[in-house]
Amino acid sequence: MDILQFLVNGIVMGGIYALIALGFVLIYKASKVLNFAQGELVMVGAFAFLALYNVLPVWLAALISIVLTGFMGFLIEKAILRPLIGEPILSVIMVTLGLSYLMRGVILTVFGPEIKPFPQFVSGSIHIGEVVIPKIYLVGFVVSLAVIAIFIFFFKKTIIGITMRAVADDQVAALSLGVSVEKIFAISWAISAMVATIGGILLGNIFGGINPDISYIGLKVFAVVILGGLDSIAGAIVGGIIIGICESVGGGLLEPIVGGGFKDVIPLIVMLFIMAVKPYGLFGTERIERV
């Protein structure tokens, strides 16, 4: 029965991983940039909500924090990354890594390293046989699924979403049709930051408290997108569920044997195994280059 409990917990966490991974995939699809600051965007969003919660109603604090971090993502692309268009992709990646340290440093300076209590939206648990599911887990999973569904609808049915898909498929062709690729890049960063904030708020509720170390969720998200395929939305969803289940079940069964901390490395072990078998991930686009 413990395995069933671990499985349920893994599916819930996997849904949140998938949600955060979608923002990562969105930036990569649009600009081919690996955003190593995605975990820090989750951190900033969670702390922004926490700061606003002290002076505003819960729903308004969540809404404003999502909008503010979305605007921050827009400014990051416009002020920092846009001047790097045409530069080697490694330079852009290193800038995102620098951004991650900058954001983490600011949060540490303002809020400190201590764990801050996070407000709980719901309390109590649901018992299904011997399986106990905290209600906040269910809320987190349902919200993740809802946001993912909205995300997919946005990509497939809205003009901006279709334009973003066009840019992701062929930037040169999109430019020739009059599409503002730079604008799409900025929108991609804004949406990615907003999605990260939602994920940060959900994680804060599940953990009951946050500190700057919540940014390390980015490492697990990186494992998710590598597993699913860097440019695949479906892969981000499937990869998130797989990583969540492997982390929960593997950690629950093996940590008592091998010691604490093993749970945190399971996503990286799964990622390395998949890369050895399928270098482009489960759903990633295989690239064949003529040499």
Side-chain angles (χ1 to χ4, degrees), residues 227-232 235 280-287:
L227 171 61
L230 282 168
D231 57 356
S232 173
Y280 294 100
L282 297 177
F283 298 92
T285 302
E286 296 189 15
R287 295 174 181 84

Side-chain angles (χ1 to χ4, degrees), residues 196-263:
T197 300
I198 296 172
I201 294 172
L202 293 176
L203 288 173
N205 273 266
I206 289 175
F207 296 155
I210 58 171
N211 68 359
D213 288 345
I214 194 176
S215 63
Y216 292 132
I217 195 75
L219 292 176
K220 296 179 182 180
V221 170
F222 185 63
V224 168
V225 296
I226 292 295
L227 171 61
L230 282 168
D231 57 356
S232 173
I233 293 177
I237 298 170
V238 174
I241 300 297
I242 291 175
I243 291 294
I245 291 175
C246 289
E247 181 186 41
S248 180
V249 175
L253 296 179
L254 296 179
E255 270 200 351
I257 300 174
V258 300
F262 181 73
K263 178 179 179 180

Side-chain angles (χ1 to χ4, degrees), residues 19-59:
L19 174 64
I20 299 171
L22 284 177
F24 194 112
V25 171
L26 177 60
I27 290 177
Y28 184 81
K29 282 178 70 70
S31 60
K32 299 297 183 260
V33 171
L34 294 172
N35 176 24
F36 284 105
Q38 188 70 11
E40 280 66 29
L41 289 175
V42 173
M43 173 191 67
V44 169
F47 274 100
F49 169 80
L50 189 60
L52 292 170
Y53 172 79
N54 294 323
V55 294
L56 296 172
V58 170
W59 66 271

